[in-house]
């Protein structure tokens, strides 16, 4: 085993004296500030009790120890690897002292090389040829990987060429040295990552050894590499890039970009769109000149760091690193309101609660730091949203945040668990298959497509159809567009308002409009005449759909239903200890209407049947969904009321072809061990119908007559 691994093992087993005789270890274990690339971290909370830098160094050493390389290479690389991350270590006092003495702590390869050189020179003042080689390898460590990612120009690796030019290594020796070094550095992040870049790394190493420099990327090629992770998740780079080129002169706008090294750019910005990404680059490259210290150009800056933004864009949610989507949405709005010309002037949209900030440090004249800065009020409100994620206060918190930034709030845009929500929606495919039997024609609109499961079903089973999903939620549309590209789907998605479909599609051009479990959300969240839970919203959605239907076209509704007669009562006996607490909390928090119940015993209540079912829908979903489900009323019409609403809204000519209602599969099974459902005499009864299916047809007209 490598000596450095033995030293780390001894320290982990309680031998603290090891740190006193090995300065590299002392620096790594004394780190008080967690300086890591959050792109590869899964839990921010765990960083408080861990030393990710030491862990990473240990992984690199274990990989080196396992590689079949010669002794001299292993010995040399061991020394490189133990020092390569030291600029991320040290106590706060150490780091302040290092920084004041000229150590470059923000560019960790440079800072680590400086710390190594200072350690060597303390003894004798000069570096031996071996130590100069170690210094060069520390200085350039990781840069080939960063080059592949588009973060640094190939020329940053040129110090390695001197090792052969000055005769210290042969070409073959340099290759044999650099391949295992990069293997250790990259595989310690991810073995999968190493395998994905191994061949390109080896090609670049051969060029270095041969003294050849590859052609410099065009700005388009570099942007593409910087968006590798986003493209892998479905970004349509080519289409979006061409759209940006139509709007601004990118080569001129990105002047200086090609010579600049970028730090943490992917970790900070991969979740933003390409347009937003480029706008951020332009704001960083073209600062607004308001004071003498702002008088700089990209020609005088070598490094652009997004480390402050990266650190600000994530938080810990139940032990998992989570993107701060609240900040992301506000930044998106900020960039959306900033046109390209304003970006070139460094003049983004005026907002009292958000601005971009470019920071320069006197000790780092060639480095610029970019981030977004929120007002204290906005920061506190965002913190409130995060804290409220597990409570009914969440809805109010998000509304306050949107009011602060002047944004429209569609409450069915689930902020903090959108991904899991879309996955849940995709698991309901079997329930939605029944809809396929009633689709007519080719032009099909799926309103509120969620995770896209119905779009998938239509594409797979009805290849003649042209399904389009329409949703008002930005993150739903983003997720669907990426999945469409990744999975090569043919369906389309469109950001739009269900209550105004004629603004997006031509009236009379659609064959089928589908509302699958979406009308109850419109009813619950959209204000009509200044009130939510308003049947006028449902009527507006039906009218909107009917208007765009072609003659013979259909509206298909699959949604919640209430039981008739409404004055039926049921008893619920809870089999779980906290069941009654759930009901008490639910009755207090539910926004749709007053939930009535009469407590008969510690674990038993008597309730109107529709209040009982409304509660059970939320009880079935569980605590993760509670914060959202308590805002929604699933059943809003009885069968009779539904039919009356359709006729009243669409007129007597609208034909109700199908009118069904049934208990959705899975409810009874999910509740079997949690409750007993009884009539008023205490006799067990089945759950009433939960779901309806309506098919409404627009009649075909010819010469003033209706043809049925």
């Amino acid at each position: 085993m490598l000596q450095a691994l033995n030293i780390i093992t001894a320290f982990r087993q309680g031998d603290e004296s090891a740190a006193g005789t090995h300065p590299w270890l002392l620096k790594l274990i004394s780190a008080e500030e967690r300086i890591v690339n959050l792109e590869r971290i899964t839990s921010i909370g765990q960083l408080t009790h861990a030393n990710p830098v030491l862990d990473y160094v240990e992984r690199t050493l274990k990989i080196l120890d396992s590689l079949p390389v010669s002794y001299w290479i292993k010995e040399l690389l061991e020394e490189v690897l133990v020092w390569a991350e030291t600029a991320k270590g040290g106590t706060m006092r150490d780091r302040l002292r290092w920084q004041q003495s000229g150590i470059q702590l923000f560019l960790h390869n440079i800072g680590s090389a400086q710390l190594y050189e200072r350690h060597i020179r303390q003894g004798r003042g000069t570096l031996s040829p071996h130590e100069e080689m170690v210094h060069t390898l520390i200085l350039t460590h990781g840069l080939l990987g960063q080059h592949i990612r588009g973060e640094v120009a190939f020329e940053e690796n040129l110090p390695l060429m001197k090792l052969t030019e000055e005769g210290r290594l042969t070409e073959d020796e340099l290759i044999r040295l650099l391949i295992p070094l990069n293997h250790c550095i990259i595989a310690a992040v991810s073995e999968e990552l190493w395998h994905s870049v191994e061949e390109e790394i080896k090609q670049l190493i051969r060029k270095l050894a041969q003294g050849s420099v590859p052609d410099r990327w065009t700005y388009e090629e570099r942007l593409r590499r910087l968006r590798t992770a986003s493209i892998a998740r479905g970004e349509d780079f080519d289409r979006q890039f061409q759209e940006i080129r139509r709007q601004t002169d990118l080569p001129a706008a990105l002047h200086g970009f090609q010579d600049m090294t970028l730090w943490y750019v992917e970790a900070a910005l991969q979740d933003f769109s390409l347009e937003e990404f480029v706008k951020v680059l332009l704001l960083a490259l073209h600062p607004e000149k308001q004071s003498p210290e702002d008088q700089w150009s990209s020609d005088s800056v070598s490094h652009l760091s997004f480390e402050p933004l990266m650190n600000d864009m994530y938080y810990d949610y139940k032990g998992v690193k989570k993107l701060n989507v609240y900040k992301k949405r506000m930044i998106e709005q900020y960039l959306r309101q900033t046109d390209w010309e304003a970006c070139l002037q460094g003049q983004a949209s005026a907002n009292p609660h958000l601005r971009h900030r470019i920071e320069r440090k006197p000790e780092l004249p060639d480095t610029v730091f970019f981030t977004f800065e929120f007002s204290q009020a906005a920061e506190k409100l965002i913190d409130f949203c995060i804290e409220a994620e597990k409570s009914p206060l969440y809805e109010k918190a998000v509304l306050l945040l949107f009011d602060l930034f002047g944004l429209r709030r569609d409450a069915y845009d689930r902020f903090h668990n959108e991904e899991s929500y879309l996955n849940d929606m995709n698991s309901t495919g079997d329930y939605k298959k029944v809809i396929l039997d009633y689709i007519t024609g080719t032009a099909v609109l799926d309103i509120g497509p969620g995770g896209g499961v119905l779009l998938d079903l239509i594409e797979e089973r009805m290849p003649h159809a042209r399904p389009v999903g329409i949703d008002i939620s930005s993150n739903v549309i983003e997720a669907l567009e990426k999945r469409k590209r990744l999975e090569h789907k043919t369906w389309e998605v469109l950001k739009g308002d269900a209550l105004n479909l004629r603004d997006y599609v031509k009236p009379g051009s659609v064959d089928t409009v589908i509302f699958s479990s979406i009308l109850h959300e419109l009813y619950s969240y959209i204000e009509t005449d200044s009130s939510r839970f308003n049947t006028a919203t449902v009527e507006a959605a039906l009218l909107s759909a009917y208007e765009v239907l072609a003659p013979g076209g259909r509206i298909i509704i699959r949604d919640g239903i209430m039981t008739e007669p409404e004055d039926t009562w049921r008893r619920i006996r809870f089999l779980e200890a906290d069941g009654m607490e759930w009901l008490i909390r639910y009755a207090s928090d539910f926004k749709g209407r007053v939930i009535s119940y009469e407590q008969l015993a510690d674990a038993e209540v008597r309730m109107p049947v529709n209040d009982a079912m409304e509660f059970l829908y939320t009880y079935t979903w569980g605590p993760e969904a509670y914060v959202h489900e308590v805002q929604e009323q699933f059943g809003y019409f009885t069968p009779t009321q539904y039919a009356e609403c359709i006729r009243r809204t669409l007129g007597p000519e609208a034909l109700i072809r199908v009118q069904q209602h049934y208990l959705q599969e899975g409810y009874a099974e999910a509740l079997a061990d949690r409750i007993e459902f009884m009539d008023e005499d205490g006799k067990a009864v089945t759950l009433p119908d939960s779901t309806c299916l309506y098919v409404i047809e627009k009649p075909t007209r010819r010469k003033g007559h209706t043809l049925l």
Side-chain angles (χ1 to χ4, degrees):
M1 183 183 287
L2 296 176
Q3 182 186 9
L5 282 175
N6 287 324
I7 293 167
I8 292 173
T9 300
F11 170 76
R12 291 192 185 280
Q13 292 176 348
D15 182 7
E16 297 186 3
S17 65
T21 54
H22 299 284
W24 58 267
L25 180 59
L26 180 61
K27 290 175 172 58
L28 294 178
I29 65 175
S30 62
E32 294 176 351
E33 184 178 352
R34 297 298 185 247
I35 303 171
V36 294
N37 189 333
L38 295 182
E39 182 184 352
R40 301 290 175 180
I41 296 297
T42 58
S43 173
I44 295 176
Q46 292 176 4
L47 296 181
T48 306
H49 310 289
N51 189 328
V53 177
L54 179 61
D55 294 343
Y56 171 76
V57 170
E58 186 175 23
R59 289 197 301 274
T60 65
L61 293 168
K62 286 181 177 178
I63 294 169
L64 175 62
D65 196 42
S66 69
L67 294 179
V69 296
S70 63
Y71 177 77
W72 78 269
I73 289 178
K74 193 166 284 192
E75 183 180 42
L76 179 61
L77 294 187
E78 179 181 12
E79 190 171 3
V80 172
L81 292 174
V82 298
W83 280 93
E85 302 292 322
T86 50
K88 297 179 181 178
T91 65
M92 297 294 189
R93 181 174 295 180
D94 289 336
R95 295 182 64 79
L96 179 60
R97 187 176 68 252
W98 294 345
Q99 187 173 324
Q100 289 174 341
S101 65
I103 300 295
Q104 169 57 283
L105 295 180
F106 297 98
L107 309 179
H108 306 121
N109 60 319
I110 297 174
S112 295
Q114 291 172 327
L115 287 171
Y116 172 78
E117 182 179 13
R118 178 173 296 183
H119 165 69
I120 297 299
R121 290 187 184 280
Q122 282 177 347
R124 57 182 179 275
T126 59
L127 273 63
S128 69
H130 167 85
E131 290 160 348
E132 288 182 356
M133 191 180 306
V134 172
H135 179 270
T136 298
L137 292 171
I138 296 172
L139 181 67
T140 57
H141 87 278
L143 294 185
L144 284 175
Q146 287 179 272
H147 172 69
I148 287 175
R149 289 160 61 102
E151 295 170 340
V152 304
F154 184 80
E155 286 78 3
E156 295 293 322
N157 293 280
L158 293 185
L160 292 167
M161 286 186 180
K162 292 184 178 180
L163 297 177
T164 55
E165 291 171 354
E166 296 174 358
R168 298 184 185 183
L169 293 172
T170 66
E171 290 184 14
D172 181 64
E173 286 172 335
L174 183 61
I175 292 171
R176 289 167 51 211
L177 190 65
L178 291 182
I179 290 177
L181 175 58
N182 281 274
H183 185 166
C184 294
I185 292 168
I186 298 173
V189 174
S190 162
E191 282 286 350
E192 182 182 0
L193 180 61
W194 166 246
H195 292 312
S196 69
V197 301
E198 181 178 358
E199 285 308 311
E200 188 170 4
I201 286 285
K202 290 179 177 178
Q203 290 174 13
L204 291 172
I205 288 172
R206 293 187 192 102
K207 285 185 177 294
L208 276 170
Q210 295 163 4
S212 102
V213 177
D215 293 337
R216 178 165 286 201
W217 295 318
T218 66
Y219 70 93
E220 178 181 354
E221 290 169 332
R222 189 176 188 192
L223 284 175
R224 188 185 301 276
R225 286 183 176 263
L226 288 168
R227 300 298 291 175
T228 298
S230 303
I231 292 169
R233 296 206 310 255
E235 177 175 276
D236 189 348
F237 178 89
D238 292 319
R239 180 184 62 80
Q240 295 179 29
F241 179 78
Q242 293 305 321
E243 179 61 29
I244 294 170
R245 284 193 61 184
R246 282 193 288 270
Q247 299 178 57
T248 189
D249 182 359
L250 270 183
L254 291 173
H255 174 71
F257 167 65
Q258 291 295 73
D259 299 316
M260 199 172 285
T261 297
L262 305 179
W263 297 87
Y264 301 106
V265 60
E266 193 166 53
L269 294 168
Q270 65 180 338
D271 291 294
F272 290 90
S273 71
L274 179 62
E275 177 178 322
E276 292 156 356
F277 176 85
V278 174
K279 282 186 174 181
V280 167
L281 284 181
L282 297 189
L283 288 172
L285 292 170
H286 302 276
E288 185 177 10
K289 307 297 191 298
Q290 294 182 332
S291 60
E293 55 267 26
D294 291 330
Q295 301 300 316
W296 61 275
S297 70
S298 56
D299 295 329
S300 65
V301 172
S302 302
H303 305 280
L304 174 58
S305 174
F306 293 93
E307 185 177 8
L309 178 59
M310 174 192 71
N311 291 332
D312 208 31
M313 287 304 297
Y314 298 96
Y315 66 98
D316 208 66
Y317 178 75
K318 293 186 176 181
V320 177
K321 181 193 72 175
K322 195 167 183 60
L323 175 70
N324 194 322
V325 72
Y326 312 101
K327 289 189 174 181
K328 179 174 181 282
R329 292 287 178 240
M330 303 307 115
I331 292 170
E332 287 170 341
Q333 173 76 350
Y334 181 85
L335 295 171
R336 191 161 43 245
Q337 294 176 342
T338 303
D339 61 30
W340 294 103
E341 185 59 34
C343 286
L344 295 174
Q345 301 299 322
Q347 298 173 341
S349 61
N351 189 308
H353 298 289
L354 176 62
R355 68 184 184 93
H356 68 279
R357 179 166 57 84
I358 297 171
E359 183 180 359
R360 302 189 77 189
K361 301 178 185 297
E363 65 274 17
L364 300 171
D366 64 345
T367 304
V368 164
F369 297 85
F370 182 96
T371 191
F372 287 95
E373 191 173 67
F374 290 80
S375 70
Q376 289 188 357
E379 288 281 4
K380 290 183 182 300
L381 199 45
I382 289 168
D383 289 343
F384 178 38
C385 288
I386 293 172
E387 288 300 315
E389 284 177 353
K390 306 177 190 68
S391 81
L393 287 173
Y394 178 71
E395 185 71 16
K396 294 179 180 178
V398 173
L399 283 170
L400 287 170
L401 183 63
F402 269 61
D403 285 345
L404 190 70
F405 283 88
L407 294 174
R408 171 177 173 173
R409 169 66 172 115
D410 291 286
Y412 46 95
D413 181 356
R414 287 162 168 77
F415 264 65
H416 79 285
N417 67 343
E418 184 68 29
E419 184 175 349
S420 61
Y421 169 70
L422 295 180
N423 288 336
D424 287 340
M425 293 302 99
N426 277 346
S427 69
T428 63
D430 288 343
Y431 304 152
K432 298 185 177 184
K433 289 178 182 176
V434 64
I435 291 173
L436 302 182
D437 295 335
Y438 302 100
I439 291 175
T440 188
T442 58
V444 181
L445 297 186
D446 180 16
I447 310 301
V453 62
L454 188 55
L455 295 173
D456 290 341
L457 287 171
I458 296 171
E459 179 177 320
E460 292 164 9
R461 304 193 181 194
M462 306 181 72
H464 66 282
R466 294 180 287 103
V468 177
I470 294 185
D471 205 295
I472 197 68
S473 165
S474 298
N475 43 345
V476 168
I477 294 299
E478 287 174 9
L480 286 172
E481 285 181 335
K482 290 176 180 178
R483 191 166 79 80
K484 166 185 162 65
R485 180 171 173 78
L486 282 177
E487 300 177 17
H488 307 291
K489 300 294 184 180
T490 61
W491 41 253
E492 300 291 340
V493 289
L494 180 66
K495 190 174 188 297
D497 186 347
L499 304 189
N500 297 286
L501 291 176
R502 66 173 299 153
D503 292 344
Y504 314 99
V505 294
K506 182 180 178 181
S509 66
V510 177
D511 299 307
T512 303
V513 179
I514 302 169
F515 293 99
S516 180
S517 291
I518 192 66
L519 280 178
H520 78 273
E521 295 198 349
L522 300 178
Y523 169 78
S524 300
Y525 292 120
I526 301 300
E527 288 191 358
T528 301
D529 299 328
S530 301
S531 77
R532 292 167 54 191
F533 305 101
N534 190 336
T535 57
T537 304
V538 177
E539 294 169 3
L542 292 176
L543 276 172
S544 173
Y546 200 72
E547 185 177 22
V548 299
L549 279 185
R554 291 175 175 175
I555 298 173
I556 302 174
I557 301 168
R558 174 186 169 275
D559 215 338
I561 196 73
M562 294 171 70
T563 293
E564 294 177 315
E566 292 184 79
D567 59 1
T568 302
W569 286 68
R570 289 289 182 258
R571 290 164 65 174
I572 297 175
R573 181 178 296 131
F574 293 105
L575 304 180
E576 295 177 320
D578 63 347
M580 185 63 73
E581 295 177 14
W582 259 83
L583 175 59
I584 293 170
R585 179 186 176 193
Y586 178 83
S588 173
D589 294 338
F590 183 60
K591 305 301 181 184
R593 62 172 186 267
V594 174
I595 297 295
S596 301
Y597 66 92
E598 176 185 343
Q599 188 166 350
L600 303 178
D602 289 344
E604 188 171 332
V605 294
R606 174 177 177 267
M607 301 179 68
V609 63
N610 288 314
D611 286 358
M613 288 301 293
E614 197 65 50
F615 162 68
L616 290 177
Y617 298 139
T618 298
Y619 192 56
T620 303
W621 277 93
E624 181 66 21
Y626 181 87
V627 63
H628 299 296
E629 297 303 318
V630 79
Q631 306 290 336
E632 301 175 8
Q633 184 169 316
F634 188 55
Y636 46 92
F637 285 141
T638 65
T640 299
Q641 291 167 345
Y642 228 129
E644 290 175 349
C645 174
I646 292 168
R647 294 190 178 98
R648 180 176 66 253
T649 304
L650 305 182
E653 68 171 15
L655 306 174
I656 302 178
R657 288 296 193 188
V658 177
Q659 181 175 349
Q660 298 175 0
H661 39 92
Y662 50 91
L663 177 64
Q664 181 67 60
E665 182 181 346
Y667 275 127
E669 293 78 5
L671 292 169
D673 298 327
R674 304 180 68 190
I675 67 160
E676 291 178 358
F677 196 72
M678 304 167 288
D679 64 16
E680 289 196 79
D681 297 325
K683 180 181 177 181
V685 294
T686 59
L687 295 170
D689 293 342
S690 62
T691 307
C692 67
L693 179 68
Y694 283 86
V695 179
I696 308 162
E697 190 171 294
K698 190 172 187 176
T700 302
R701 294 182 178 278
R702 182 181 298 168
K703 296 181 179 179
H705 297 285
T706 300
L707 300 180
L708 300 180

